[in-house]
PDB file of all heavy atoms in Angstrom:
ATOM      1  N   ASN A 248    -112.602 143.395  42.259  1.00  0.00           N
ATOM      2  CA  ASN A 248    -113.631 144.317  42.729  1.00  0.00           C
ATOM      3  C   ASN A 248    -115.031 143.949  42.266  1.00  0.00           C
ATOM      4  O   ASN A 248    -115.987 144.639  42.590  1.00  0.00           O
ATOM      5  CB  ASN A 248    -113.311 145.750  42.262  1.00  0.00           C
ATOM      6  CG  ASN A 248    -112.135 146.330  43.017  1.00  0.00           C
ATOM      7  OD1 ASN A 248    -111.898 145.984  44.170  1.00  0.00           O
ATOM      8  ND2 ASN A 248    -111.389 147.203  42.367  1.00  0.00           N
ATOM      9  N   ASN A 249    -115.162 142.879  41.480  1.00  0.00           N
ATOM     10  CA  ASN A 249    -116.480 142.459  41.048  1.00  0.00           C
ATOM     11  C   ASN A 249    -117.212 141.801  42.209  1.00  0.00           C
ATOM     12  O   ASN A 249    -116.694 140.908  42.855  1.00  0.00           O
ATOM     13  CB  ASN A 249    -116.353 141.463  39.896  1.00  0.00           C
ATOM     14  CG  ASN A 249    -117.704 141.008  39.381  1.00  0.00           C
ATOM     15  OD1 ASN A 249    -118.305 140.098  39.935  1.00  0.00           O
ATOM     16  ND2 ASN A 249    -118.171 141.656  38.336  1.00  0.00           N
ATOM     17  N   ALA A 250    -118.450 142.247  42.505  1.00  0.00           N
ATOM     18  CA  ALA A 250    -119.174 141.772  43.689  1.00  0.00           C
ATOM     19  C   ALA A 250    -119.376 140.266  43.655  1.00  0.00           C
ATOM     20  O   ALA A 250    -119.226 139.586  44.670  1.00  0.00           O
ATOM     21  CB  ALA A 250    -120.522 142.479  43.797  1.00  0.00           C
ATOM     22  N   ASN A 251    -119.722 139.697  42.486  1.00  0.00           N
ATOM     23  CA  ASN A 251    -119.950 138.258  42.409  1.00  0.00           C
ATOM     24  C   ASN A 251    -118.681 137.476  42.695  1.00  0.00           C
ATOM     25  O   ASN A 251    -118.702 136.433  43.344  1.00  0.00           O
ATOM     26  CB  ASN A 251    -120.501 137.884  41.030  1.00  0.00           C
ATOM     27  CG  ASN A 251    -121.890 138.439  40.798  1.00  0.00           C
ATOM     28  OD1 ASN A 251    -122.664 138.546  41.744  1.00  0.00           O
ATOM     29  ND2 ASN A 251    -122.185 138.804  39.574  1.00  0.00           N
ATOM     30  N   GLU A 252    -117.547 137.977  42.221  1.00  0.00           N
ATOM     31  CA  GLU A 252    -116.282 137.315  42.493  1.00  0.00           C
ATOM     32  C   GLU A 252    -115.939 137.389  43.978  1.00  0.00           C
ATOM     33  O   GLU A 252    -115.392 136.441  44.555  1.00  0.00           O
ATOM     34  CB  GLU A 252    -115.167 137.945  41.661  1.00  0.00           C
ATOM     35  CG  GLU A 252    -115.219 137.617  40.183  1.00  0.00           C
ATOM     36  CD  GLU A 252    -115.058 136.125  39.940  1.00  0.00           C
ATOM     37  OE1 GLU A 252    -114.149 135.515  40.543  1.00  0.00           O
ATOM     38  OE2 GLU A 252    -115.857 135.561  39.169  1.00  0.00           O
ATOM     39  N   VAL A 253    -116.258 138.525  44.604  1.00  0.00           N
ATOM     40  CA  VAL A 253    -115.988 138.669  46.030  1.00  0.00           C
ATOM     41  C   VAL A 253    -116.758 137.635  46.827  1.00  0.00           C
ATOM     42  O   VAL A 253    -116.220 136.961  47.700  1.00  0.00           O
ATOM     43  CB  VAL A 253    -116.352 140.091  46.507  1.00  0.00           C
ATOM     44  CG1 VAL A 253    -116.371 140.154  48.029  1.00  0.00           C
ATOM     45  CG2 VAL A 253    -115.363 141.107  45.961  1.00  0.00           C
ATOM     46  N   ILE A 254    -118.055 137.468  46.531  1.00  0.00           N
ATOM     47  CA  ILE A 254    -118.865 136.494  47.239  1.00  0.00           C
ATOM     48  C   ILE A 254    -118.303 135.092  47.030  1.00  0.00           C
ATOM     49  O   ILE A 254    -118.201 134.295  47.963  1.00  0.00           O
ATOM     50  CB  ILE A 254    -120.331 136.549  46.760  1.00  0.00           C
ATOM     51  CG1 ILE A 254    -120.918 137.934  47.021  1.00  0.00           C
ATOM     52  CG2 ILE A 254    -121.160 135.479  47.444  1.00  0.00           C
ATOM     53  CD1 ILE A 254    -120.929 138.345  48.469  1.00  0.00           C
ATOM     54  N   LYS A 255    -117.888 134.775  45.803  1.00  0.00           N
ATOM     55  CA  LYS A 255    -117.322 133.460  45.515  1.00  0.00           C
ATOM     56  C   LYS A 255    -116.040 133.241  46.299  1.00  0.00           C
ATOM     57  O   LYS A 255    -115.789 132.163  46.840  1.00  0.00           O
ATOM     58  CB  LYS A 255    -117.066 133.328  44.010  1.00  0.00           C
ATOM     59  CG  LYS A 255    -116.584 131.932  43.591  1.00  0.00           C
ATOM     60  CD  LYS A 255    -116.596 131.780  42.080  1.00  0.00           C
ATOM     61  CE  LYS A 255    -115.573 132.692  41.429  1.00  0.00           C
ATOM     62  NZ  LYS A 255    -115.506 132.480  39.962  1.00  0.00           N
ATOM     63  N   ASN A 256    -115.212 134.277  46.405  1.00  0.00           N
ATOM     64  CA  ASN A 256    -113.968 134.153  47.140  1.00  0.00           C
ATOM     65  C   ASN A 256    -114.212 133.917  48.629  1.00  0.00           C
ATOM     66  O   ASN A 256    -113.441 133.222  49.287  1.00  0.00           O
ATOM     67  CB  ASN A 256    -113.117 135.411  46.954  1.00  0.00           C
ATOM     68  CG  ASN A 256    -112.507 135.492  45.575  1.00  0.00           C
ATOM     69  OD1 ASN A 256    -112.395 134.488  44.890  1.00  0.00           O
ATOM     70  ND2 ASN A 256    -112.129 136.694  45.163  1.00  0.00           N
ATOM     71  N   LEU A 257    -115.269 134.518  49.170  1.00  0.00           N
ATOM     72  CA  LEU A 257    -115.560 134.341  50.587  1.00  0.00           C
ATOM     73  C   LEU A 257    -115.787 132.872  50.925  1.00  0.00           C
ATOM     74  O   LEU A 257    -115.451 132.410  52.008  1.00  0.00           O
ATOM     75  CB  LEU A 257    -116.810 135.146  50.980  1.00  0.00           C
ATOM     76  CG  LEU A 257    -116.684 136.662  50.938  1.00  0.00           C
ATOM     77  CD1 LEU A 257    -117.982 137.303  51.381  1.00  0.00           C
ATOM     78  CD2 LEU A 257    -115.550 137.130  51.826  1.00  0.00           C
ATOM     79  N   VAL A 258    -116.379 132.145  49.999  1.00  0.00           N
ATOM     80  CA  VAL A 258    -116.667 130.731  50.227  1.00  0.00           C
ATOM     81  C   VAL A 258    -115.386 129.901  50.190  1.00  0.00           C
ATOM     82  O   VAL A 258    -115.213 128.942  50.938  1.00  0.00           O
ATOM     83  CB  VAL A 258    -117.672 130.209  49.186  1.00  0.00           C
ATOM     84  CG1 VAL A 258    -117.898 128.715  49.350  1.00  0.00           C
ATOM     85  CG2 VAL A 258    -118.981 130.971  49.301  1.00  0.00           C
ATOM     86  N   SER A 259    -114.458 130.299  49.321  1.00  0.00           N
ATOM     87  CA  SER A 259    -113.281 129.463  49.080  1.00  0.00           C
ATOM     88  C   SER A 259    -112.098 129.798  49.982  1.00  0.00           C
ATOM     89  O   SER A 259    -111.186 128.993  50.109  1.00  0.00           O
ATOM     90  CB  SER A 259    -112.856 129.595  47.616  1.00  0.00           C
ATOM     91  OG  SER A 259    -112.484 130.931  47.327  1.00  0.00           O
ATOM     92  N   GLN A 260    -112.062 130.979  50.583  1.00  0.00           N
ATOM     93  CA  GLN A 260    -110.907 131.356  51.383  1.00  0.00           C
ATOM     94  C   GLN A 260    -110.821 130.526  52.662  1.00  0.00           C
ATOM     95  O   GLN A 260    -111.815 130.316  53.351  1.00  0.00           O
ATOM     96  CB  GLN A 260    -110.987 132.842  51.764  1.00  0.00           C
ATOM     97  CG  GLN A 260    -110.804 133.798  50.601  1.00  0.00           C
ATOM     98  CD  GLN A 260    -109.371 133.826  50.102  1.00  0.00           C
ATOM     99  OE1 GLN A 260    -108.467 133.344  50.762  1.00  0.00           O
ATOM    100  NE2 GLN A 260    -109.159 134.395  48.941  1.00  0.00           N
ATOM    101  N   THR A 261    -109.635 130.039  52.973  1.00  0.00           N
ATOM    102  CA  THR A 261    -109.426 129.280  54.203  1.00  0.00           C
ATOM    103  C   THR A 261    -108.794 130.199  55.241  1.00  0.00           C
ATOM    104  O   THR A 261    -107.595 130.125  55.533  1.00  0.00           O
ATOM    105  CB  THR A 261    -108.522 128.069  53.946  1.00  0.00           C
ATOM    106  OG1 THR A 261    -107.301 128.519  53.354  1.00  0.00           O
ATOM    107  CG2 THR A 261    -109.205 127.075  53.031  1.00  0.00           C
ATOM    108  N   ILE A 262    -109.594 131.080  55.808  1.00  0.00           N
ATOM    109  CA  ILE A 262    -109.105 132.011  56.818  1.00  0.00           C
ATOM    110  C   ILE A 262    -109.844 131.745  58.126  1.00  0.00           C
ATOM    111  O   ILE A 262    -110.978 131.261  58.128  1.00  0.00           O
ATOM    112  CB  ILE A 262    -109.288 133.479  56.372  1.00  0.00           C
ATOM    113  CG1 ILE A 262    -110.768 133.839  56.232  1.00  0.00           C
ATOM    114  CG2 ILE A 262    -108.546 133.740  55.089  1.00  0.00           C
ATOM    115  CD1 ILE A 262    -110.997 135.304  55.913  1.00  0.00           C
ATOM    116  N   PRO A 263    -109.217 132.036  59.248  1.00  0.00           N
ATOM    117  CA  PRO A 263    -109.873 131.818  60.535  1.00  0.00           C
ATOM    118  C   PRO A 263    -111.151 132.648  60.649  1.00  0.00           C
ATOM    119  O   PRO A 263    -111.164 133.835  60.329  1.00  0.00           O
ATOM    120  CB  PRO A 263    -108.825 132.281  61.550  1.00  0.00           C
ATOM    121  CG  PRO A 263    -107.526 132.173  60.840  1.00  0.00           C
ATOM    122  CD  PRO A 263    -107.833 132.509  59.410  1.00  0.00           C
ATOM    123  N   THR A 264    -112.214 132.016  61.125  1.00  0.00           N
ATOM    124  CA  THR A 264    -113.504 132.677  61.254  1.00  0.00           C
ATOM    125  C   THR A 264    -113.878 132.805  62.724  1.00  0.00           C
ATOM    126  O   THR A 264    -113.852 131.817  63.461  1.00  0.00           O
ATOM    127  CB  THR A 264    -114.597 131.889  60.521  1.00  0.00           C
ATOM    128  OG1 THR A 264    -114.286 131.855  59.130  1.00  0.00           O
ATOM    129  CG2 THR A 264    -115.954 132.543  60.689  1.00  0.00           C
ATOM    130  N   ILE A 265    -114.202 134.010  63.137  1.00  0.00           N
ATOM    131  CA  ILE A 265    -114.702 134.260  64.486  1.00  0.00           C
ATOM    132  C   ILE A 265    -116.202 134.470  64.377  1.00  0.00           C
ATOM    133  O   ILE A 265    -116.656 135.439  63.765  1.00  0.00           O
ATOM    134  CB  ILE A 265    -114.017 135.479  65.124  1.00  0.00           C
ATOM    135  CG1 ILE A 265    -112.497 135.263  65.173  1.00  0.00           C
ATOM    136  CG2 ILE A 265    -114.560 135.714  66.519  1.00  0.00           C
ATOM    137  CD1 ILE A 265    -111.728 136.448  65.703  1.00  0.00           C
ATOM    138  N   ILE A 266    -116.985 133.570  64.955  1.00  0.00           N
ATOM    139  CA  ILE A 266    -118.433 133.571  64.803  1.00  0.00           C
ATOM    140  C   ILE A 266    -119.081 134.167  66.048  1.00  0.00           C
ATOM    141  O   ILE A 266    -118.735 133.810  67.173  1.00  0.00           O
ATOM    142  CB  ILE A 266    -118.951 132.145  64.549  1.00  0.00           C
ATOM    143  CG1 ILE A 266    -118.347 131.605  63.246  1.00  0.00           C
ATOM    144  CG2 ILE A 266    -120.472 132.118  64.467  1.00  0.00           C
ATOM    145  CD1 ILE A 266    -118.701 130.162  62.958  1.00  0.00           C
ATOM    146  N   TYR A 267    -120.028 135.055  65.816  1.00  0.00           N
ATOM    147  CA  TYR A 267    -120.704 135.753  66.914  1.00  0.00           C
ATOM    148  C   TYR A 267    -121.600 134.790  67.684  1.00  0.00           C
ATOM    149  O   TYR A 267    -122.406 134.071  67.110  1.00  0.00           O
ATOM    150  CB  TYR A 267    -121.543 136.895  66.349  1.00  0.00           C
ATOM    151  CG  TYR A 267    -121.981 137.929  67.368  1.00  0.00           C
ATOM    152  CD1 TYR A 267    -121.314 139.136  67.473  1.00  0.00           C
ATOM    153  CD2 TYR A 267    -123.061 137.696  68.220  1.00  0.00           C
ATOM    154  CE1 TYR A 267    -121.710 140.092  68.387  1.00  0.00           C
ATOM    155  CE2 TYR A 267    -123.461 138.638  69.140  1.00  0.00           C
ATOM    156  CZ  TYR A 267    -122.783 139.841  69.226  1.00  0.00           C
ATOM    157  OH  TYR A 267    -123.178 140.775  70.148  1.00  0.00           O
ATOM    158  N   GLY A 268    -121.485 134.801  69.015  1.00  0.00           N
ATOM    159  CA  GLY A 268    -122.361 134.043  69.885  1.00  0.00           C
ATOM    160  C   GLY A 268    -122.898 134.933  70.983  1.00  0.00           C
ATOM    161  O   GLY A 268    -122.280 135.936  71.352  1.00  0.00           O
ATOM    162  N   GLY A 269    -124.070 134.591  71.524  1.00  0.00           N
ATOM    163  CA  GLY A 269    -124.662 135.405  72.571  1.00  0.00           C
ATOM    164  C   GLY A 269    -125.250 136.694  72.031  1.00  0.00           C
ATOM    165  O   GLY A 269    -125.531 136.819  70.834  1.00  0.00           O
ATOM    166  N   THR A 270    -125.427 137.695  72.896  1.00  0.00           N
ATOM    167  CA  THR A 270    -126.000 138.983  72.521  1.00  0.00           C
ATOM    168  C   THR A 270    -125.311 140.104  73.291  1.00  0.00           C
ATOM    169  O   THR A 270    -124.684 139.882  74.327  1.00  0.00           O
ATOM    170  CB  THR A 270    -127.516 139.038  72.830  1.00  0.00           C
ATOM    171  OG1 THR A 270    -127.719 138.826  74.247  1.00  0.00           O
ATOM    172  CG2 THR A 270    -128.286 137.991  72.050  1.00  0.00           C
ATOM    173  N   GLY A 271    -125.453 141.329  72.772  1.00  0.00           N
ATOM    174  CA  GLY A 271    -125.078 142.528  73.514  1.00  0.00           C
ATOM    175  C   GLY A 271    -123.598 142.765  73.710  1.00  0.00           C
ATOM    176  O   GLY A 271    -123.187 143.324  74.731  1.00  0.00           O
ATOM    177  N   HIS A 272    -122.767 142.393  72.743  1.00  0.00           N
ATOM    178  CA  HIS A 272    -121.335 142.629  72.885  1.00  0.00           C
ATOM    179  C   HIS A 272    -120.695 142.731  71.507  1.00  0.00           C
ATOM    180  O   HIS A 272    -121.279 142.347  70.501  1.00  0.00           O
ATOM    181  CB  HIS A 272    -120.675 141.488  73.672  1.00  0.00           C
ATOM    182  CG  HIS A 272    -120.701 140.173  72.960  1.00  0.00           C
ATOM    183  ND1 HIS A 272    -119.688 139.751  72.119  1.00  0.00           N
ATOM    184  CD2 HIS A 272    -121.634 139.181  72.932  1.00  0.00           C
ATOM    185  CE1 HIS A 272    -119.974 138.564  71.623  1.00  0.00           C
ATOM    186  NE2 HIS A 272    -121.158 138.190  72.090  1.00  0.00           N
TER     187      HIS A 272
END
């Protein structure tokens, strides 16, 4: 639950990423 650890984990996790493209949806 430590915020700094959470941010660090986000970088290291190998999970599928859906990236936003375009606008208005």
Side-chain angles (χ1 to χ4, degrees):
N248 288 330
N249 181 276
N251 293 327
E252 288 298 314
V253 167
I254 300 300
K255 185 169 66 176
N256 287 340
L257 292 181
V258 176
S259 62
Q260 291 289 346
T261 55
I262 65 175
T264 297
I265 302 176
I266 298 175
Y267 196 101
T270 60
H272 66 91

